[in-house]
Amino acid sequence: MWEISGDGTVNLIGSKCLSCGELFFPEQAKNICTHCQSNNLEKIKLDGHGTIMSFTVVEQKPAGGFYFGPVPYAYGWVTLNDGVSIETLFTGCELDELKVGMEVEVVVEKLHDNAEGAEVLTYKCKPVKKQAGGPR
Ligand SMILES: [Zn+2]
């Protein structure tokens, strides 16, 4: 689902259709392009940077017992620089700082501890902080 390189850069792993060029995330498990029906797909590293397209802030734990992370939390859609849209959680800023159009980078963080006490990791998107001013 993702790879972390030596310098800490996170790359999400997706699929690229070699027939029509369509990108997918997550990887197409059955290796079939849902755009052109080709099975000529290859695994690719996606760009770890993108732009927030939409988001929502969730104040209460969702029903269904499948979410074990903290609340409130923000999730939404980010379009990565190579054009594929991903559904993601957000991290690294106050929830009221999030804005559509913000530049983000993909990071991997703990989501919660599982029943055995082991960390469950997930990818999230973190706003890229612009350097305010130069050295004084
Ligand atoms: Zn295709």
Side-chain angles (χ1 to χ4, degrees):
M1 201 165 194
W2 66 74
E3 283 178 10
I4 303 177
S5 53
D7 64 358
T9 307
V10 177
N11 287 105
L12 296 176
I13 305 301
S15 301
K16 179 176 185 175
C17 175
L18 297 177
S19 299
C20 74
E22 191 80 8
L23 297 173
F24 300 95
F25 180 82
E27 229 179 305
Q28 291 292 86
K30 291 180 178 162
N31 213 47
I32 293 172
C33 174
T34 50
H35 190 70
C36 74
Q37 316 305 321
S38 161
N39 59 5
N40 193 15
L41 270 64
E42 73 172 1
K43 181 171 145 175
I44 58 156
K45 288 184 184 182
L46 297 167
D47 196 305
H49 293 81
T51 306
I52 300 177
M53 301 312 288
S54 68
F55 68 92
T56 187
V57 174
V58 180
E59 304 281 351
Q60 290 189 330
K61 229 173 239 273
F66 58 86
Y67 180 80
F68 303 100
V71 282
Y73 66 95
Y75 84 95
W77 288 89
V78 164
T79 300
L80 299 178
N81 289 345
D82 43 20
V84 66
S85 294
I86 63 166
E87 192 170 15
T88 182
L89 293 165
F90 293 103
T91 187
C93 71
E94 298 300 323
L95 297 178
D96 61 8
E97 289 176 338
L98 289 168
K99 286 188 183 68
V100 168
M102 226 177 199
E103 280 176 49
V104 293
E105 63 181 337
V106 177
V107 297
V108 168
E109 275 191 356
K110 173 177 153 176
L111 183 60
H112 61 88
D113 290 322
N114 70 12
E116 289 80 43
E119 288 192 345
V120 176
L121 300 176
T122 190
Y123 68 91
K124 299 180 184 179
C125 282
K126 176 181 170 183
V128 177
K129 304 269 184 200
K130 296 267 181 351
Q131 295 287 340
R136 269 181 263 181

PDB file of all heavy atoms in Angstrom, residues 16-22 24 32-41, ligand 1:
ATOM      1  N   LYS A  16      -0.782   1.370 -12.591  1.00  0.00           N
ATOM      2  CA  LYS A  16      -0.911   2.155 -13.811  1.00  0.00           C
ATOM      3  C   LYS A  16      -1.280   1.222 -14.945  1.00  0.00           C
ATOM      4  O   LYS A  16      -0.655   0.172 -15.135  1.00  0.00           O
ATOM      5  CB  LYS A  16       0.407   2.862 -14.130  1.00  0.00           C
ATOM      6  CG  LYS A  16       0.327   3.671 -15.421  1.00  0.00           C
ATOM      7  CD  LYS A  16       1.585   4.449 -15.695  1.00  0.00           C
ATOM      8  CE  LYS A  16       1.388   5.327 -16.931  1.00  0.00           C
ATOM      9  NZ  LYS A  16       2.523   6.187 -17.181  1.00  0.00           N
ATOM     10  N   CYS A  17      -2.299   1.611 -15.716  1.00  0.00           N
ATOM     11  CA  CYS A  17      -2.682   0.824 -16.885  1.00  0.00           C
ATOM     12  C   CYS A  17      -1.747   1.187 -18.030  1.00  0.00           C
ATOM     13  O   CYS A  17      -1.651   2.349 -18.420  1.00  0.00           O
ATOM     14  CB  CYS A  17      -4.131   1.120 -17.256  1.00  0.00           C
ATOM     15  SG  CYS A  17      -4.616   0.283 -18.778  1.00  0.00           S
ATOM     16  N   LEU A  18      -1.054   0.185 -18.558  1.00  0.00           N
ATOM     17  CA  LEU A  18      -0.101   0.438 -19.642  1.00  0.00           C
ATOM     18  C   LEU A  18      -0.807   0.586 -20.987  1.00  0.00           C
ATOM     19  O   LEU A  18      -0.209   1.006 -21.966  1.00  0.00           O
ATOM     20  CB  LEU A  18       0.938  -0.690 -19.707  1.00  0.00           C
ATOM     21  CG  LEU A  18       1.817  -0.811 -18.455  1.00  0.00           C
ATOM     22  CD1 LEU A  18       2.756  -1.996 -18.571  1.00  0.00           C
ATOM     23  CD2 LEU A  18       2.602   0.465 -18.186  1.00  0.00           C
ATOM     24  N   SER A  19      -2.091   0.261 -21.034  1.00  0.00           N
ATOM     25  CA  SER A  19      -2.837   0.422 -22.285  1.00  0.00           C
ATOM     26  C   SER A  19      -3.424   1.815 -22.422  1.00  0.00           C
ATOM     27  O   SER A  19      -3.306   2.441 -23.465  1.00  0.00           O
ATOM     28  CB  SER A  19      -3.973  -0.608 -22.361  1.00  0.00           C
ATOM     29  OG  SER A  19      -3.433  -1.907 -22.336  1.00  0.00           O
ATOM     30  N   CYS A  20      -4.051   2.346 -21.344  1.00  0.00           N
ATOM     31  CA  CYS A  20      -4.709   3.647 -21.471  1.00  0.00           C
ATOM     32  C   CYS A  20      -4.110   4.711 -20.564  1.00  0.00           C
ATOM     33  O   CYS A  20      -4.486   5.876 -20.651  1.00  0.00           O
ATOM     34  CB  CYS A  20      -6.215   3.518 -21.212  1.00  0.00           C
ATOM     35  SG  CYS A  20      -6.659   3.298 -19.486  1.00  0.00           S
ATOM     36  N   GLY A  21      -3.206   4.326 -19.669  1.00  0.00           N
ATOM     37  CA  GLY A  21      -2.522   5.311 -18.840  1.00  0.00           C
ATOM     38  C   GLY A  21      -3.238   5.668 -17.548  1.00  0.00           C
ATOM     39  O   GLY A  21      -2.745   6.475 -16.762  1.00  0.00           O
ATOM     40  N   GLU A  22      -4.404   5.085 -17.289  1.00  0.00           N
ATOM     41  CA  GLU A  22      -5.162   5.374 -16.081  1.00  0.00           C
ATOM     42  C   GLU A  22      -4.375   4.953 -14.833  1.00  0.00           C
ATOM     43  O   GLU A  22      -3.714   3.912 -14.832  1.00  0.00           O
ATOM     44  CB  GLU A  22      -6.503   4.624 -16.141  1.00  0.00           C
ATOM     45  CG  GLU A  22      -7.507   5.016 -15.097  1.00  0.00           C
ATOM     46  CD  GLU A  22      -8.275   6.309 -15.428  1.00  0.00           C
ATOM     47  OE1 GLU A  22      -8.128   6.835 -16.548  1.00  0.00           O
ATOM     48  OE2 GLU A  22      -9.005   6.774 -14.539  1.00  0.00           O
ATOM     49  N   PHE A  24      -4.455   4.158 -10.609  1.00  0.00           N
ATOM     50  CA  PHE A  24      -5.373   3.697  -9.575  1.00  0.00           C
ATOM     51  C   PHE A  24      -4.691   3.682  -8.215  1.00  0.00           C
ATOM     52  O   PHE A  24      -3.524   3.331  -8.097  1.00  0.00           O
ATOM     53  CB  PHE A  24      -5.856   2.267  -9.865  1.00  0.00           C
ATOM     54  CG  PHE A  24      -6.587   2.132 -11.162  1.00  0.00           C
ATOM     55  CD1 PHE A  24      -5.912   1.736 -12.305  1.00  0.00           C
ATOM     56  CD2 PHE A  24      -7.938   2.428 -11.250  1.00  0.00           C
ATOM     57  CE1 PHE A  24      -6.575   1.619 -13.517  1.00  0.00           C
ATOM     58  CE2 PHE A  24      -8.604   2.318 -12.458  1.00  0.00           C
ATOM     59  CZ  PHE A  24      -7.922   1.914 -13.598  1.00  0.00           C
ATOM     60  N   ILE A  32      -7.017  -5.585 -13.236  1.00  0.00           N
ATOM     61  CA  ILE A  32      -7.826  -5.243 -14.408  1.00  0.00           C
ATOM     62  C   ILE A  32      -8.100  -3.746 -14.369  1.00  0.00           C
ATOM     63  O   ILE A  32      -8.474  -3.200 -13.330  1.00  0.00           O
ATOM     64  CB  ILE A  32      -9.162  -6.026 -14.419  1.00  0.00           C
ATOM     65  CG1 ILE A  32      -8.887  -7.511 -14.636  1.00  0.00           C
ATOM     66  CG2 ILE A  32     -10.115  -5.480 -15.496  1.00  0.00           C
ATOM     67  CD1 ILE A  32     -10.096  -8.405 -14.475  1.00  0.00           C
ATOM     68  N   CYS A  33      -7.874  -3.068 -15.480  1.00  0.00           N
ATOM     69  CA  CYS A  33      -8.167  -1.639 -15.578  1.00  0.00           C
ATOM     70  C   CYS A  33      -9.679  -1.462 -15.688  1.00  0.00           C
ATOM     71  O   CYS A  33     -10.289  -1.952 -16.637  1.00  0.00           O
ATOM     72  CB  CYS A  33      -7.467  -1.042 -16.792  1.00  0.00           C
ATOM     73  SG  CYS A  33      -7.922   0.685 -17.063  1.00  0.00           S
ATOM     74  N   THR A  34     -10.283  -0.748 -14.716  1.00  0.00           N
ATOM     75  CA  THR A  34     -11.733  -0.556 -14.763  1.00  0.00           C
ATOM     76  C   THR A  34     -12.113   0.508 -15.790  1.00  0.00           C
ATOM     77  O   THR A  34     -13.279   0.764 -16.022  1.00  0.00           O
ATOM     78  CB  THR A  34     -12.266  -0.136 -13.374  1.00  0.00           C
ATOM     79  OG1 THR A  34     -11.479   0.955 -12.887  1.00  0.00           O
ATOM     80  CG2 THR A  34     -12.177  -1.290 -12.393  1.00  0.00           C
ATOM     81  N   HIS A  35     -11.109   1.136 -16.399  1.00  0.00           N
ATOM     82  CA  HIS A  35     -11.365   2.159 -17.412  1.00  0.00           C
ATOM     83  C   HIS A  35     -11.478   1.524 -18.805  1.00  0.00           C
ATOM     84  O   HIS A  35     -12.403   1.802 -19.552  1.00  0.00           O
ATOM     85  CB  HIS A  35     -10.235   3.190 -17.363  1.00  0.00           C
ATOM     86  CG  HIS A  35     -10.487   4.413 -18.180  1.00  0.00           C
ATOM     87  ND1 HIS A  35     -11.441   5.354 -17.840  1.00  0.00           N
ATOM     88  CD2 HIS A  35      -9.904   4.856 -19.303  1.00  0.00           C
ATOM     89  CE1 HIS A  35     -11.436   6.311 -18.740  1.00  0.00           C
ATOM     90  NE2 HIS A  35     -10.517   6.043 -19.633  1.00  0.00           N
ATOM     91  N   CYS A  36     -10.491   0.646 -19.155  1.00  0.00           N
ATOM     92  CA  CYS A  36     -10.468   0.084 -20.519  1.00  0.00           C
ATOM     93  C   CYS A  36     -10.489  -1.446 -20.533  1.00  0.00           C
ATOM     94  O   CYS A  36     -10.377  -2.054 -21.596  1.00  0.00           O
ATOM     95  CB  CYS A  36      -9.247   0.601 -21.283  1.00  0.00           C
ATOM     96  SG  CYS A  36      -7.690  -0.145 -20.769  1.00  0.00           S
ATOM     97  N   GLN A  37     -10.617  -2.071 -19.348  1.00  0.00           N
ATOM     98  CA  GLN A  37     -10.711  -3.543 -19.216  1.00  0.00           C
ATOM     99  C   GLN A  37      -9.404  -4.272 -19.553  1.00  0.00           C
ATOM    100  O   GLN A  37      -9.389  -5.505 -19.611  1.00  0.00           O
ATOM    101  CB  GLN A  37     -11.849  -4.160 -20.064  1.00  0.00           C
ATOM    102  CG  GLN A  37     -13.174  -3.418 -20.033  1.00  0.00           C
ATOM    103  CD  GLN A  37     -13.703  -3.209 -18.625  1.00  0.00           C
ATOM    104  OE1 GLN A  37     -13.585  -4.095 -17.789  1.00  0.00           O
ATOM    105  NE2 GLN A  37     -14.245  -2.045 -18.334  1.00  0.00           N
ATOM    106  N   SER A  38      -8.331  -3.556 -19.778  1.00  0.00           N
ATOM    107  CA  SER A  38      -7.045  -4.201 -20.053  1.00  0.00           C
ATOM    108  C   SER A  38      -6.541  -4.880 -18.776  1.00  0.00           C
ATOM    109  O   SER A  38      -6.878  -4.479 -17.670  1.00  0.00           O
ATOM    110  CB  SER A  38      -6.037  -3.133 -20.502  1.00  0.00           C
ATOM    111  OG  SER A  38      -4.718  -3.614 -20.367  1.00  0.00           O
ATOM    112  N   ASN A  39      -5.733  -5.936 -18.959  1.00  0.00           N
ATOM    113  CA  ASN A  39      -5.073  -6.501 -17.774  1.00  0.00           C
ATOM    114  C   ASN A  39      -3.569  -6.243 -17.825  1.00  0.00           C
ATOM    115  O   ASN A  39      -2.778  -6.942 -17.225  1.00  0.00           O
ATOM    116  CB  ASN A  39      -5.398  -7.994 -17.603  1.00  0.00           C
ATOM    117  CG  ASN A  39      -4.973  -8.800 -18.807  1.00  0.00           C
ATOM    118  OD1 ASN A  39      -4.354  -8.276 -19.734  1.00  0.00           O
ATOM    119  ND2 ASN A  39      -5.292 -10.080 -18.811  1.00  0.00           N
ATOM    120  N   ASN A  40      -3.207  -5.203 -18.542  1.00  0.00           N
ATOM    121  CA  ASN A  40      -1.811  -4.825 -18.721  1.00  0.00           C
ATOM    122  C   ASN A  40      -1.463  -3.707 -17.730  1.00  0.00           C
ATOM    123  O   ASN A  40      -1.257  -2.564 -18.111  1.00  0.00           O
ATOM    124  CB  ASN A  40      -1.629  -4.382 -20.175  1.00  0.00           C
ATOM    125  CG  ASN A  40      -0.173  -4.265 -20.562  1.00  0.00           C
ATOM    126  OD1 ASN A  40       0.700  -4.767 -19.875  1.00  0.00           O
ATOM    127  ND2 ASN A  40       0.087  -3.580 -21.663  1.00  0.00           N
ATOM    128  N   LEU A  41      -1.454  -4.051 -16.432  1.00  0.00           N
ATOM    129  CA  LEU A  41      -1.217  -3.069 -15.390  1.00  0.00           C
ATOM    130  C   LEU A  41       0.143  -3.291 -14.753  1.00  0.00           C
ATOM    131  O   LEU A  41       0.619  -4.429 -14.663  1.00  0.00           O
ATOM    132  CB  LEU A  41      -2.296  -3.160 -14.300  1.00  0.00           C
ATOM    133  CG  LEU A  41      -3.549  -2.293 -14.501  1.00  0.00           C
ATOM    134  CD1 LEU A  41      -4.308  -2.718 -15.740  1.00  0.00           C
ATOM    135  CD2 LEU A  41      -4.436  -2.381 -13.295  1.00  0.00           C
TER     136      LEU A  41
HETATM  137 ZN    ZN B   1      -6.756   1.054 -19.039  1.00  0.00          ZN
END
